[in-house]
Amino acid sequence: MKGSFRSYFIDNEGKEHTVQIAIEDWFVSDFYSYITQTPATLFVEALEDSTIFQMTYDDIEGLCKEIHGLSEYFRITTERAFAFSRKRALSNLSMTAEERYLEILERYPNIVKRVPQKVIASYLGFTPEFLSKIRKNLTSKT
């Protein structure tokens, strides 16, 4: 409802990898865990003072059975989450680090302003130091 969040996992070496960044009116969750009803593998962290609205799987499923419009809303939300996840995977495979950073700047300028650079770097798959180099390089180009 208010705030910014990230979902992340910790690899075998203890390094954090940001999977999702979310702001107001977005969902943040371990969607795989939610859909399969298995234990979560992702952590969710508030990055700002936040207000959340939390519902259990059973609550959501019950409401969706009663209210068709809500069921449609969750279907569309899930489809969009899948589409954005696929887009991100393809971007990671086909774009340079600089191109990925420019894409997040263009698509989500509010997120870049609100979220710590180390989280942005983790989301993009590189270190904060490498992100600083990219930003410096972009500044020198303009």
Side-chain angles (χ1 to χ4, degrees), residues 27-98:
F27 285 95
V28 62
S29 176
D30 184 335
F31 284 110
Y32 180 82
S33 170
Y34 173 79
I35 290 168
T36 62
Q37 288 299 280
T38 56
T41 58
L42 299 177
F43 299 92
V44 175
E45 174 184 31
L47 302 170
E48 302 173 332
D49 287 341
S50 302
T51 304
I52 65 168
F53 182 74
Q54 180 177 340
M55 295 180 73
T56 67
Y57 179 85
D58 290 336
D59 289 340
I60 292 170
E61 288 299 306
L63 286 171
C64 286
K65 286 178 184 171
E66 291 178 30
I67 306 168
H68 177 73
L70 189 61
S71 181
E72 276 296 295
Y73 172 77
F74 279 107
R75 179 188 62 78
I76 291 167
T77 299
T78 303
E79 288 173 354
R80 287 183 179 161
F82 175 75
F84 283 114
S85 175
R86 176 63 56 94
K87 168 90 171 88
R88 180 169 178 227
L90 293 175
S91 293
N92 285 345
L93 293 170
S94 64
M95 299 170 80
T96 67
E98 185 175 295

Side-chain angles (χ1 to χ4, degrees), residues 4-8 18-23 26-28 47 88 104 108 111-112 114-116 118-124:
S4 63
F5 301 83
R6 73 173 179 136
S7 64
Y8 66 98
T18 300
V19 175
Q20 180 187 11
I21 299 170
I23 57 172
W26 293 12
F27 285 95
V28 62
L47 302 170
R88 180 169 178 227
I104 198 170
Y108 307 107
I111 288 177
V112 175
R114 291 173 59 182
V115 172
K118 69 178 189 169
V119 173
I120 300 293
S122 173
Y123 178 77
L124 294 171

